[in-house]
Amino acid sequence: MKKRILLVVLIAALLGGGYYLNLLMPIITGYAAKNLASGVFVAGRSQEAMEQEDLNFSFIALTNNTVDWEKKEVVSRFLWGKSEAIFLDDFGCSLVKDYTPETIRNYPFQAVEPEPSNPDELDWPMGSRLADTIPEGVNLPKLNQAVAMAMSDSIPYKGTFALMVVYKGQPVAEAYRDDFNADSRFLSWSMAKSFTNTLIGLRVKEGKIVINEPLGIQEWQQDERKNITLNHLMQMNSGLEWNEGYGNLSDVTVMLHKEGDMGLYTQQKELAYPAGTHWLYSSGSTNVVCRELRKSFADEEAYFAFPRKALFNPIGMTSAIFEVDASGTFVGSSYLYATMRDYARYGLLYLNDGRWMGEQLLPEGWVDYTRQEAQGSDGRYGSCFWLNLSGDFPDAPKDMYLCKGHDGQFICIIPSRDLVVVRTGYSKKGEFDLNAVLKAILESLE
């Protein structure tokens, strides 16, 4: 009898494990296909480098990946699972989910030429010509020590790809791991949320979006979701159910790797709390915002051209690529690529209260709104930006606010010290100590 019971338990465990693995399969292969495609076609990295570092964990490390350089596609397989990602030129790479490759490629993408066209001939910040001198107040030996610490490959500084420090508007430090350089594009992960904040702000300035009015999404009108505003979504207190866990089968992993329309997937979630009463970090919320942003345009061509025309070109972000999901909506939660200097330019836009080269690009007061503490966040979050009101970074000023992305991506903006610090890398939890790096950098400046 005992043997029969053990056999039944074993069979049940195997069936349960197989069922769960089947649910995981699109996540495993989708993660590998999407990140490898963007790595090789957008960031210009090698397949070998991506597989040895960025894809070398858990089941992802066991995928079999094929890069088709002629078709510019990546297919990833694991056991019986398979996912495909395709390259869309100026719009990066997209997983083929719920839509055919032909449908995705036939969206009316508008390839707007990056400006300025001659950055090497222009001075910083619009161009790439840097000053020969550095601002007063920089202790260069101490700053160099701080940079060397941040670039170290030992924990707690492991995995840094690049670091850039801009003080009083001028780059004073710029360092790259040997396999990267100033032309390398780096993945934002959730730093893209902050860029979503900017695009919404630009549409607010144009009078096309109001952030504090209920959204009017049709399927929300029969329940309390009808009260949700863009502001609720951007401050992460919409009340929608969400699981942001990255180490398992969760809402965020399903959305990013299995769903063709990421905003719609989130939009269909039930309400767990009344809008505005409970703070819960949700990448899905940002993709609903992106879906609403798209709806604010009368034609698709204008929508696809908007990030470059309204944001990237005006501040000289010539390298920036904002990727789309299979439905054609910008993945504002996670998928933007840019160089270190372009990320630094973005930080300067916010450091200067939304002004650029004397022009008020963002609406008056938008940066103040961005830095307002979101209800229930305990001083940790504003509108698509993280805050340091909570003191999470005790050696940095309380007025610091930052773009923060998975695996250690940061754009730190410190108005009281006239400072922007950008760090990109591949660092799992505990492998990079941002507070210690900020402390060392701050101690090198007046």
Side-chain angles (χ1 to χ4, degrees):
M1 177 63 74
K2 289 183 179 180
K3 289 183 178 180
R4 292 175 66 181
I5 293 174
L6 286 173
L7 180 60
V8 170
V9 170
L10 178 60
I11 292 173
L14 289 172
L15 289 174
Y19 175 74
Y20 186 69
L21 187 60
N22 188 60
L23 294 176
L24 276 180
M25 206 65 67
I27 315 302
I28 296 167
T29 57
Y31 186 101
K34 166 63 184 66
N35 286 281
L36 179 56
S38 294
V40 298
F41 296 127
V42 179
R45 299 176 66 188
S46 70
Q47 178 178 354
E48 180 182 22
M50 290 291 299
E51 290 178 340
Q52 287 182 350
E53 188 167 15
D54 303 63
L55 305 181
N56 191 19
F57 68 96
S58 186
F59 290 114
I60 312 296
L62 303 177
T63 56
N64 181 15
N65 308 302
T66 302
V67 178
D68 189 322
W69 293 94
E70 183 177 349
K71 293 182 179 178
K72 294 193 174 180
E73 299 174 350
V74 170
V75 173
S76 296
R77 294 178 172 86
F78 177 66
L79 298 179
W80 58 88
K82 172 185 172 183
S83 289
E84 177 186 5
I86 59 176
F87 179 55
L88 303 169
D89 297 311
D90 294 333
F91 295 85
C93 295
S94 177
L95 277 171
V96 178
K97 300 290 183 181
D98 302 327
Y99 298 80
T100 67
E102 292 72 27
T103 298
I104 301 169
R105 288 193 171 102
N106 285 329
Y107 292 129
F109 295 127
Q110 290 297 298
V112 180
E113 286 299 314
E115 294 179 6
S117 59
N118 57 339
D120 292 338
E121 301 173 14
L122 299 175
D123 292 334
W124 175 268
M126 280 304 293
S128 54
R129 288 195 315 211
L130 306 183
D132 295 330
T133 59
I134 59 175
E136 291 185 5
V138 179
N139 184 323
L140 199 54
K142 291 185 72 173
L143 179 59
N144 289 338
Q145 289 176 2
V147 172
M149 179 177 73
M151 298 300 295
S152 168
D153 198 36
S154 61
I155 294 174
Y157 311 108
K158 181 180 179 182
T160 299
F161 292 165
L163 182 80
M164 189 163 184
V165 181
V166 180
Y167 181 54
K168 296 181 179 178
Q170 184 175 326
V172 294
E174 186 177 10
Y176 297 90
R177 203 172 72 177
D178 289 344
D179 48 334
F180 299 104
N181 56 53
D183 295 322
S184 300
R185 288 190 181 101
F186 298 95
L187 172 59
S188 67
W189 281 119
S190 286
M191 294 197 303
K193 292 179 173 67
S194 302
F195 285 81
T196 301
N197 163 288
T198 310
L199 297 181
I200 293 296
L202 292 168
R203 287 300 271 173
V204 167
K205 187 180 179 184
E206 293 176 351
K208 302 299 183 181
I209 280 179
V210 178
I211 63 170
N212 287 310
E213 292 182 356
L215 285 174
I217 294 173
Q218 185 173 358
E219 65 185 282
W220 287 2
Q221 298 313 298
Q222 306 308 313
D223 54 59
E224 292 307 304
R225 291 180 297 179
K226 65 185 177 184
N227 298 318
I228 297 173
T229 66
L230 279 177
N231 179 58
H232 290 138
L233 291 163
M234 293 166 70
Q235 291 193 332
M236 302 294 176
N237 52 27
S238 68
L240 293 173
E241 291 179 345
W242 192 257
N243 179 346
E244 188 73 13
Y246 282 85
N248 53 28
L249 186 68
S250 68
D251 291 325
V252 69
T253 56
V254 168
M255 177 188 72
L256 289 177
H257 309 117
K258 191 177 179 181
E259 297 295 323
D261 189 330
M262 299 184 190
L264 179 62
Y265 170 76
T266 308
Q267 189 174 296
Q268 294 168 341
K269 292 292 180 180
E270 298 296 324
L271 200 68
Y273 306 93
T277 66
H278 184 86
W279 188 84
L280 180 67
Y281 185 77
S282 165
S283 290
S285 290
T286 312
N287 288 330
V288 176
V289 173
C290 288
R291 206 166 189 268
E292 292 300 302
L293 172 68
R294 187 176 186 177
K295 287 162 60 175
S296 76
F297 289 87
D299 63 88
E300 293 280 78
E301 290 86 352
Y303 165 73
F304 289 118
F306 184 67
R308 178 147 302 283
K309 282 188 173 181
L311 174 60
F312 300 150
N313 281 354
I315 67 172
M317 289 186 65
T318 57
S319 73
I321 288 181
F322 215 149
E323 296 186 307
V324 297
D325 65 14
S327 77
T329 302
F330 292 112
V331 186
S333 67
S334 313
Y335 293 149
L336 185 141
Y337 279 80
T339 63
M340 292 295 286
R341 292 185 181 184
D342 278 352
Y343 282 135
R345 289 182 174 96
Y346 180 75
L348 281 176
L349 174 66
Y350 276 78
L351 184 72
N352 293 324
D353 199 28
R355 291 187 298 274
W356 188 263
M357 306 289 284
E359 177 186 355
Q360 187 65 42
L361 191 62
L362 289 171
E364 293 280 357
W366 186 259
V367 173
D368 288 338
Y369 156 72
T370 293
R371 296 185 297 176
Q372 287 177 1
E373 178 183 351
Q375 179 71 29
S377 72
D378 295 325
R380 299 180 65 220
Y381 207 77
S383 172
C384 298
F385 279 77
W386 292 86
L387 309 178
N388 197 36
L389 295 174
S390 59
D392 283 357
F393 302 96
D395 293 303
K398 288 288 186 72
D399 70 333
M400 180 179 79
Y401 60 112
L402 60 157
C403 320
K404 184 165 68 170
H406 185 56
D407 290 338
Q409 326 309 318
F410 302 102
I411 303 174
C412 303
I413 303 158
I414 309 179
S416 61
R417 300 298 298 274
D418 203 358
L419 182 67
V420 173
V421 177
V422 185
R423 188 266 186 180
T424 57
Y426 179 74
S427 304
K428 295 301 183 184
K429 188 175 182 180
E431 291 182 343
F432 183 77
D433 188 344
L434 177 63
N435 181 71
V437 171
L438 289 172
K439 179 182 180 182
I441 291 171
L442 287 163
E443 288 176 346
S444 75
L445 308 174
E446 276 188 356

